Amino acid sequence: MWGWVVVSVIAGTCLAVHCLQTWVMEGERQDLYVVARRVADQSEKPLLVVGAPQARGQGFPSYPHGDVTIDIDPRPEDLKTLKVDVEVADSFFVPGQFGAAFMSHVLEHVERPQRALDALMVIADRVFVAYPQSESFWAYCVSDHRWIIDGISPEGRVQCHRNPLYVGG
């Protein structure tokens, strides 16, 4: 009897922590998008959004499309998103073409995260990156996260390590 109580309390606590982390992560992502939008507008250049706005499986958009939106895996019904690999985005766009780039929850999926960030730094005046915090449930337990992002230095260097739970190739 007490064993089930302990298991239920632990499971409930884990669920509560997961919900809190999701709520905080969505708020941070929204705030970062607003700043990126403002920077692009002030520069009178377009905003590039990397990562389609549709929150997969959640049924609601987590942020609007940019003036240009790219994703490595856009949904077929999303006609506003171009299929472009962010690691080579600098070969599709002109250097300095965008006032800002907002990349949301893409860096942890790409094969070469530093290359992806470098490409954005060429084509955008400022780059804003949202990613799951390394101590969060989401960082490890999403099976297609190749990387755990520990941070990004002011110089634009990605600090990351392989996700031990990654199940991809």
Side-chain angles (χ1 to χ4, degrees), residues 20-33:
L20 178 63
Q21 287 178 340
T22 301
W23 179 68
V24 168
M25 182 173 64
E26 281 302 316
E28 290 172 347
R29 184 182 346 205
Q30 291 286 341
D31 293 346
L32 200 57
Y33 174 86

Side-chain angles (χ1 to χ4, degrees), residues 53-70:
Q54 181 64 35
R56 299 186 192 283
Q58 296 174 342
F60 59 90
S62 54
Y63 49 88
H65 279 277
D67 299 309
V68 176
T69 303
I70 65 173

Side-chain angles (χ1 to χ4, degrees), residues 94-121:
V94 176
Q97 181 173 347
F98 298 97
F102 170 70
M103 178 166 45
S104 180
H105 293 256
V106 172
L107 206 56
E108 64 273 15
H109 295 276
V110 298
E111 193 170 320
R112 299 174 300 164
Q114 186 62 58
R115 176 67 184 107
L117 186 58
D118 290 346
L120 291 180
M121 291 172 71

